[in-house]
Amino acid sequence: MKDVRLLPWAGEGGKPCYLDTDGTGYVSRAADTVERVQLGMADELLEHAADMLADRRATPAQLRFLLARMSEALADACRIAVSRGGRLAGFESVSEPVPTPEATRQ
């Protein structure tokens, strides 16, 4: 059975990319790999954040940089959650698109 999968990367202009797949093709496997990398990076950022927050010498610029990377990682994690949730049986998809880090910057 084929499903439509939200891919873990955005297309041109930050638009979501979808794949019509049975989950076994090359692009599906590449998406699985990208998701693993993105979630691993988010985990490493959480560890780094704990260290930086405990360090009173961390500068505002360092904390802003960390926050920007964490915002990107959170957007990736949200996209992954929506994608995986959309592939669960009986799941009603989210009508709102997942925000990209670029869309959240002001």
Side-chain angles (χ1 to χ4, degrees):
M1 178 177 174
K2 284 193 166 199
D3 291 315
V4 177
R5 175 182 182 169
L6 174 66
L7 294 173
W9 54 78
E12 190 174 326
K15 294 181 181 176
C17 290
Y18 295 93
L19 176 65
D20 187 6
T21 183
D22 63 2
T24 61
Y26 173 78
V27 177
S28 278
R29 290 191 310 274
D32 291 341
T33 299
V34 169
E35 286 181 355
R36 278 192 299 277
V37 169
Q38 289 172 327
L39 292 173
M41 288 171 44
D43 191 46
E44 289 176 17
L45 277 169
L46 283 172
E47 291 176 20
H48 187 59
D51 293 341
M52 284 194 73
L53 291 171
D55 183 0
R56 294 203 172 267
R57 296 172 296 161
T59 67
Q62 289 172 320
L63 293 171
R64 276 193 303 275
F65 182 81
L66 175 65
L67 185 57
R69 302 297 73 80
M70 291 187 78
S71 176
E72 294 165 355
L74 182 57
D76 290 342
C78 286
R79 182 182 301 274
I80 292 166
V82 168
S83 177
R84 291 181 180 183
R87 288 179 272 151
L88 294 175
F91 180 82
E92 295 201 17
S93 65
V94 176
S95 60
E96 299 279 326
V98 177
T100 62
E102 294 78 24
T104 59
R105 290 187 196 146
Q106 298 290 331

